[in-house]
Amino acid sequence: GAVVSQHPSRVICKSGTSVKIECRSLDFQATTMFWYRQFPKKSLMLMATSNEGSKATYEQGVEKDKFLINHASLTLSTLTVTSAHPEDSSFYICSAVDRVNQPQHFGDGTRLSIL
Amino acid sequence: AQSVTQLGSHVSVSEGALVLLRCNYSSSVPPYLFWYVQYPNQGLQLLLKYTTGATLVKGINGFEAEFKKSETSFHLTKPSAHMSDAAEYFCAVSLSGNTPLVFGKGTRLSVIA
């Protein structure tokens, strides 16, 4: 089946560091990828929609300068948390959609902890 | 706008007992409905989905869900709970297969031996 790889699975870093998270579709081309954020014991909230070759669409309240999204190819989208602070600590999950309008395939998530 | 309400943030059942996790949705157009399971510190695994057609949907691990338009519900059931079913379950709705998902708040299922 379709596989989405998300890397790294866990990051612990100091405040002020920028962190890049990769989301790759391993066996299909993903025209659209989504980035979600999950707070502890909370549901997933959509942060942004990433379309290959175009600018990401951010949800209301999500700082585009803080959370940089790049979708340079049909198999890779990256989320960069710039100058991360403790309040950015969270579980970030990506998902990818192939061309055939099938359900989204989720990565295993990235646990980001900012000290 | 779409929304999902999951009744009960925590459900506890005995091993072998029926599992029933409730989900109600709101959508202005015919919805795509999903159930996902999440184990600790892991991503989401699709259990089953409803798009069109048969309203009773069978998924993996013995789970099934029934789409009831009149009740705007998509409850998840499993006849007999296993210890391995203990996890967080999310109901989600979308406009189509390639639009963002709107998730419910999740229901944590505990299975008691």
Side-chain angles (χ1 to χ4, degrees):
Chain A
V3 177
V4 172
S5 173
Q6 190 172 337
H7 178 80
S9 59
R10 185 175 179 91
V11 178
I12 302 173
C13 57
K14 294 180 179 179
S15 183
T17 305
S18 291
V19 178
K20 179 184 284 188
I21 302 170
E22 294 186 347
C23 182
R24 293 179 184 273
S25 57
L26 297 185
D27 54 358
F28 66 98
Q29 293 182 320
T31 54
T32 302
M33 290 185 174
F34 301 103
W35 287 96
Y36 297 87
R37 180 174 179 175
Q38 185 177 30
F39 292 96
K41 299 184 179 180
K42 298 284 188 180
S43 187
L44 289 84
M45 301 298 293
L46 178 69
M47 297 176 66
T49 300
S50 171
N51 293 299
E52 185 267 337
S54 62
K55 291 184 178 180
T57 303
Y58 290 82
E59 295 300 297
Q60 189 174 11
V62 178
E63 300 175 59
K64 62 178 69 176
D65 294 331
K66 174 73 164 177
F67 299 99
L68 300 179
I69 292 173
N70 183 278
H71 195 158
S73 77
L74 283 170
T75 59
L76 174 65
S77 176
T78 59
L79 167 66
T80 301
V81 184
T82 61
S83 187
H85 292 283
E87 58 266 28
D88 300 323
S89 298
S90 195
F91 194 57
Y92 294 87
I93 307 177
C94 71
S95 70
V97 179
D98 65 17
R99 297 174 183 273
V100 193
N101 201 30
Q102 292 297 306
Q104 298 174 31
H105 307 285
F106 283 84
D108 283 338
T110 298
R111 173 74 59 191
L112 176 62
S113 299
I114 308 298
L115 305 177
Chain B
Q2 296 181 303
S3 66
V4 174
T5 301
Q6 289 184 242
L7 295 176
S9 59
H10 184 205
V11 171
S12 184
V13 301
S14 299
E15 190 174 19
L18 171 72
V19 175
L20 171 60
L21 304 182
R22 299 180 185 274
C23 172
N24 288 90
Y25 70 91
S26 172
S27 178
S28 57
V29 299
Y32 283 47
L33 293 161
F34 307 84
W35 274 101
Y36 286 88
V37 61
Q38 184 182 34
Y39 297 97
N41 292 314
Q42 294 187 23
L44 301 178
Q45 181 181 11
L46 179 66
L47 284 176
L48 47 80
K49 67 182 187 294
Y50 169 80
T51 53
T52 59
T55 56
L56 182 61
V57 180
K58 294 187 184 298
I60 62 172
N61 301 339
F63 285 94
E64 63 181 35
E66 185 171 11
F67 170 60
K68 291 187 177 180
K69 183 178 179 181
S70 61
E71 298 177 7
T72 61
S73 69
F74 191 57
H75 302 329
L76 181 71
T77 61
K78 181 174 180 177
S80 176
H82 294 170
M83 297 298 290
S84 60
D85 294 326
E88 190 85 21
Y89 291 81
F90 292 96
C91 181
V93 63
S94 72
L95 296 174
S96 68
N98 59 357
T99 53
L101 294 172
V102 175
F103 287 89
K105 292 186 176 181
T107 297
R108 182 163 62 90
L109 175 66
S110 297
V111 181
I112 303 169

